[in-house]
Amino acid sequence: QLETLEQEEQERLELRPHPTEKTTHIVSHEHGMTVWKTLREGEAEPQCQSFSYSRAKLRGLLLEGASLLLLRLLARRQTMPPDLVFPAINTEGDLCTSSY
């Protein structure tokens, strides 16, 4: 029974003349998870968004770290259950599905 408590992703693109920085911070709490996204392009003010998902929508959620563990486990067992699908949060912070 593994559970992601917190996750942070940082991405930086060095595109001249406007480098881009994107940060996504996900925190688990009593009612579900909250996602904070920050996007900064060049010298412009950062654009920030936050939104939350309820525990009911996140049942079985598989975030990036848990996905890596699952892939290692499947490789070690050399087996792949059919139709293995989990709820996930994509790079934009939106709820989606992850299929293996």
Side-chain angles (χ1 to χ4, degrees):
Q1 182 70 26
L2 298 175
E3 179 181 352
T4 300
L5 301 177
E6 189 169 355
Q7 177 174 300
E8 184 157 336
E9 297 175 16
Q10 295 180 338
E11 182 179 342
R12 181 171 171 85
L13 298 172
E14 289 289 338
L15 301 173
R16 305 222 186 268
H18 303 289
T20 301
E21 293 179 47
K22 183 165 75 169
T23 303
T24 305
H25 189 86
I26 303 170
V27 176
S28 178
H29 51 76
E30 179 180 347
H31 304 290
M33 284 193 157
T34 300
V35 178
W36 289 277
K37 288 176 28 179
T38 305
L39 177 65
R40 183 179 190 136
E41 296 178 298
E43 298 298 319
E45 287 294 316
Q47 301 170 13
C48 301
Q49 292 180 300
S50 70
F51 37 92
S52 296
Y53 297 107
S54 68
R55 286 227 177 255
K57 285 189 174 187
L58 299 175
R59 186 176 196 98
L61 178 70
L62 195 67
L63 292 178
E64 187 176 358
S67 177
L68 289 172
L69 288 174
L70 177 63
L71 288 173
R72 287 181 182 175
L73 178 65
L74 292 171
R76 184 165 175 86
R77 290 186 177 179
Q78 297 182 352
T79 183
M80 184 63 132
D83 302 321
L84 194 57
V85 178
F86 295 95
I89 296 179
N90 66 17
T91 57
E92 298 302 315
D94 300 321
L95 200 56
C96 64
T97 57
S98 183
S99 302
Y100 293 85

